[in-house]
Amino acid sequence: MSLEILSCRNLKKQFVENQVLQGIDLQINKGESLAIIGASGSGKSTLLRCLNFLEIPSSGEVRLRGKLIGSRQNGQVVYQERDLIPIRAKIGMVFQHFNLFPHMTVLQNVMEGPRTVLKLPKSEYESRAISYLEKVSIPEKRNAYPSELSGGQQQRVAIARALAMEPEIMLFDEATSALDPELVGEVLDVILKLMEEGLTCVLVTHELGFAYSAAQRVLFMHNGVVLEEGSAYDVLVEPQQPRTIEFLRGHSRFQLPASKNSQ
Amino acid sequence: MEHVWDFQTVFASWSLLSQGLFNTLKLGLLTLITGMFFGFFVGLGRYSRSSWVNFPAGVFVEVFRNTPALVQIMWFYFAFPIISPFDIDAFAAAALGLGLNTTAFCAEIFRGGIQSIHRGQWEAGKALGMTYREQVWRIILPQAVVRMIPAFMNRVVELMKMTSLASVIAFGELMHQAKTISTYHFNPIESYTVVALLFFLVISPFAFLVYHLENRFRK
Amino acid sequence: MGYVWEFGVVFNQLDLLLAGLLNTLKITGGALLFGIPLGLLAAILRLSTYKWLRVSVGVLIEFFRTTPPIVQLFWFFFALPMLSGIEMDPFRASLVTFSIQSSAFFAEVFRGGIVSIERGQWEAARAIGMNYLESMRRVILPQAVKRMIPAFLERVIELMKTTTLVATVSYADLLYQANNIAQSTYRPLEVFTVAAGLYFIVLFPTSLLVKRIERQLAKTGEGTVH
């Protein structure tokens, strides 16, 4: 039985002139791993940021465990910052550019959420932070500052920082796009491990090979709508939409497994 | 305690105020122009390789930046005449103090602006066979000036405010006129309020400009 | 020019000058004590999402930044007591004036520091569930303050120079003492030169410190705000 964690209905986002999201319906179930792909400007990052309310949706609804986020007024959902804060604490976010706090050590970065937001006692937030640093395999760097780490290490710390909140779902916004090619693997390994442990993950990514091998479901976005959705095999190997086929053809780095049909 | 505002007596002294405004602008403009002119050379002087030039230029700048403008004005009014062969009236003392003060600050602005231009620009000019003067005028300054504009505008704001210090040695600028009016009519509330607003009207456009230029440059 | 310098008379009264310097530092310190928190508050209000608040605080800040401090001082010393009945002695009037005046400048330093922090830092703080105040206190300000140090010290220098105005309302600061001694000894040249030297002795090292910190921050790749 699938248990819904996060969902949105007819989600729209309008920036000053252009409509970036044109009505997205999406349901993410517990333990599921979902990859969102698409060209830049397709709205995939905006969708992710709307799910975490770093961007406020223009209209539509978002539900966490079936409960509507925000409050309904005159048919429109309105969002108060004080209602959104506890929501964000339950949804982990990993950014393209890590956004680690440069004035804090690695350990302090990971302790910050449990300490300031969850208000855990020192003994608890410290041991929790250390255990998540172990999970991303860099406990030995706990006293280093972010500027002393490689990009891959920084991103792993950022993942640990999000995990330390013990979120219900993790969002990865192009988590490997800013990394040198040789550092991508170590970050993907960590994400894969989390997925295998059953953590609910949504990742916006350009790593189609990773999406194919790790994600249970793939979603292709184009111009603010979901054009194609299905299992990784269906979307990446046997796409139906001409746009999807065109997009995949442009990604020569992704070696398509042979399609069943062509065998 | 209820105060009845009465601006009548202030506006009745309009000729005093307009005279004060004229003197404020005269002092401000004169010291701005001389300060920028000499500041340019002092700024370049701090760049000189000869320590006979850059050391005195450095001392001059630091002395005038690190002592209060009011002390400088009072020094030129009370102390300087003793060793000066010329007569120093209030205007001359204020102009000397503020002019040299502005020279020092402008020198730093020029120096900072020039310093912000990448060394490769000097070298490219040199490689084309330009003289030092040509490099400064054709290559460095045109690029540096744009970056210096907010700092100069800021200087205008500070300088216009500093002109009010000349009231301490009884030069008849705005603040001094306000003192005169308030003593004569015993209306300090109204006269200082009006003069504060007059200063605000003259100076705030420059401050507004700085604010916008800095926002533009930040992008 | 046969002027014979005679510093002896000045050094006989050095204790008076030093007492004046102490009062200068007292006013400067007092203004910092009140001006810095007030400035932080004003900066946060100026960054508010409410337009009316942003604009009205902005106008207030700009008013105190763009009117001469001597006008402000005279207003607080002569006009305010008549308006409100609050007793003003020279020290109190000076403290009020320079606290408010410097808070307007500090507000801009704080604002500059806060807006210099990348948006990603706000987002990361919000993404782990921090509210505005927590983000500000734990993430933004600790980073901003470091970049503000040079601008901040520069303001302290400007503030100390501006406090010479208190002499005009007869508060016995360094300049006031110098003026008195100059009149009683008929040695203005020596007295004012020594007074200027005393200011320089305090301010010049601070200036050097500013430059050193700026260089250091530039070396670690961090910017500074002005």
Side-chain angles (χ1 to χ4, degrees), chain C:
Chain C
M1 287 301 308
Y3 184 75
V4 184
W5 293 75
E6 169 59 58
F7 281 105
V9 287
V10 187
F11 289 117
N12 283 339
Q13 314 222 32
L14 200 60
D15 51 338
L16 275 182
L17 283 180
L18 290 178
L21 181 61
L22 196 67
N23 279 342
T24 292
L25 294 173
K26 214 161 91 184
I27 282 285
T28 308
L32 288 175
L33 198 67
F34 293 108
I36 292 168
L38 201 58
L40 177 60
L41 182 69
I44 287 173
L45 294 181
R46 196 176 192 181
L47 290 167
S48 156
T49 45
Y50 298 105
K51 188 164 184 199
W52 60 270
L53 194 59
R54 217 164 50 213
V55 170
S56 49
V57 171
V59 169
L60 214 57
I61 289 174
E62 289 311 322
F63 185 82
F64 279 98
R65 275 162 51 94
T66 55
T67 49
I70 190 172
V71 182
Q72 296 164 13
L73 179 61
F74 274 52
W75 200 91
F76 281 113
F77 188 61
F78 293 112
L80 187 65
M82 290 176 70
L83 264 179
S84 62
I86 299 170
E87 289 282 325
M88 278 291 181
D89 57 19
F91 178 74
R92 220 183 279 171
S94 305
L95 194 60
V96 169
T97 307
F98 290 111
S99 296
I100 295 178
Q101 200 251 0
S102 61
S103 79
F105 280 96
F106 284 126
E108 284 306 278
V109 176
F110 276 116
R111 192 181 64 91
I114 290 168
V115 301
S116 79
I117 302 299
E118 303 70 27
R119 225 180 60 158
Q121 292 293 311
W122 284 102
E123 291 189 343
R126 286 164 74 199
I128 55 170
M130 286 191 185
N131 62 30
Y132 177 81
L133 278 181
E134 284 163 348
S135 313
M136 190 62 112
R137 195 171 56 85
R138 303 278 312 165
V139 176
I140 304 302
L141 276 183
Q143 297 180 61
V145 162
K146 198 171 157 197
R147 302 183 190 183
M148 292 176 337
I149 294 171
F152 191 84
L153 286 175
E154 200 118 17
R155 269 337 304 173
V156 175
I157 294 173
E158 288 305 312
L159 173 63
M160 183 167 159
K161 292 194 293 189
T162 317
T163 60
T164 48
L165 291 174
V166 302
T168 62
V169 293
S170 305
Y171 180 69
D173 78 329
L174 176 50
L175 180 59
Y176 180 85
Q177 299 288 29
N179 198 28
N180 272 356
I181 298 169
Q183 277 174 16
S184 64
T185 60
Y186 302 102
R187 286 282 173 185
L189 189 57
E190 290 84 348
V191 177
F192 281 113
T193 305
V194 169
L198 283 174
Y199 278 106
F200 186 80
I201 287 170
V202 177
L203 294 173
F204 184 56
T206 320
S207 287
L208 289 180
L209 191 65
V210 173
K211 284 198 178 139
R212 206 163 123 188
I213 295 171
E214 269 178 347
R215 262 202 308 274
Q216 213 133 45
L217 285 176
K219 222 185 289 169
T220 58
E222 278 189 77
T224 46
V225 294
H226 287 281

Side-chain angles (χ1 to χ4, degrees), chain A:
Chain A
M1 205 194 84
S2 66
L3 179 63
E4 174 191 308
I5 297 250
L6 192 64
S7 67
C8 64
R9 232 176 64 199
N10 200 20
L11 192 73
K12 290 182 180 169
K13 177 64 183 178
Q14 180 128 25
F15 286 113
V16 186
E17 282 189 351
N18 53 333
Q19 178 127 23
V20 184
L21 295 181
Q22 322 221 25
I24 306 283
D25 295 311
L26 183 63
Q27 183 183 327
I28 302 148
N29 295 326
K30 185 167 173 54
E32 190 180 23
S33 52
L34 171 71
I36 304 175
I37 61 170
S40 52
S42 60
K44 54 191 196 305
S45 277
T46 307
L47 172 60
L48 210 64
R49 293 163 61 84
C50 279
L51 293 178
N52 198 21
F53 298 94
L54 287 177
E55 306 283 356
I56 301 298
S58 308
S59 67
E61 322 182 322
V62 182
R63 287 171 188 274
L64 184 66
R65 285 192 183 278
K67 192 175 172 301
L68 179 72
I69 299 171
S71 54
R72 212 184 290 277
Q73 277 175 22
N74 307 325
Q76 276 286 336
V77 183
V78 293
Y79 301 98
Q80 298 274 325
E81 181 69 12
R82 65 168 176 275
D83 298 330
L84 299 179
I85 285 164
I87 299 296
R88 291 197 196 102
K90 289 182 197 151
I91 301 177
M93 178 88 170
V94 175
F95 299 88
Q96 180 178 358
H97 295 287
F98 332 133
N99 296 356
L100 288 178
F101 305 133
H103 60 302
M104 298 180 188
T105 64
V106 163
L107 185 63
Q108 286 168 340
N109 262 281
V110 181
M111 292 190 307
E112 185 59 22
R115 178 186 164 169
T116 304
V117 178
L118 302 181
K119 313 236 172 352
L120 297 182
K122 184 174 197 287
S123 56
E124 214 166 310
Y125 64 66
E126 195 164 6
S127 61
R128 186 191 275 206
I130 289 170
S131 76
Y132 282 107
L133 281 177
E134 278 161 2
K135 174 154 254 166
V136 300
S137 319
I138 40 173
E140 75 282 1
K141 293 283 185 192
R142 70 177 76 161
N143 292 322
Y145 281 90
S147 58
E148 302 164 55
L149 303 184
S150 74
Q153 290 171 326
Q154 288 189 49
Q155 192 61 298
R156 278 148 61 201
V157 174
I159 292 172
R161 179 176 68 182
L163 288 175
M165 296 297 289
E166 308 200 327
E168 309 216 11
I169 179 170
M170 286 281 285
L171 310 177
F172 296 86
D173 186 7
E174 303 199 14
T176 56
S177 299
L179 297 177
D180 291 334
E182 75 270 19
L183 301 176
V184 169
E186 61 186 79
V187 173
L188 292 182
D189 284 346
V190 169
I191 299 175
L192 186 64
K193 193 163 90 183
L194 298 176
M195 288 173 164
E196 284 169 354
E197 286 174 7
L199 186 65
T200 317
C201 292
V202 180
L203 39 125
V204 162
T205 186
H206 290 294
E207 299 288 335
L208 299 186
F210 182 70
Y212 178 77
S213 58
Q216 295 157 2
R217 192 150 61 104
V218 174
L219 200 137
F220 174 71
M221 282 186 71
H222 182 74
N223 283 345
V225 294
V226 176
L227 264 193
E228 194 156 357
E229 188 185 351
S231 73
Y233 182 86
D234 287 345
V235 176
L236 294 171
V237 183
E238 289 182 342
Q240 306 298 313
Q241 299 283 339
R243 288 282 183 200
T244 318
I245 296 167
E246 192 185 330
F247 172 78
L248 292 175
R249 205 174 282 142
H251 279 255
S252 55
R253 268 172 63 204
F254 174 55
Q255 298 292 323
L256 281 175
S259 164
K260 276 179 210 152
N261 299 339
S262 60
Q263 274 173 351

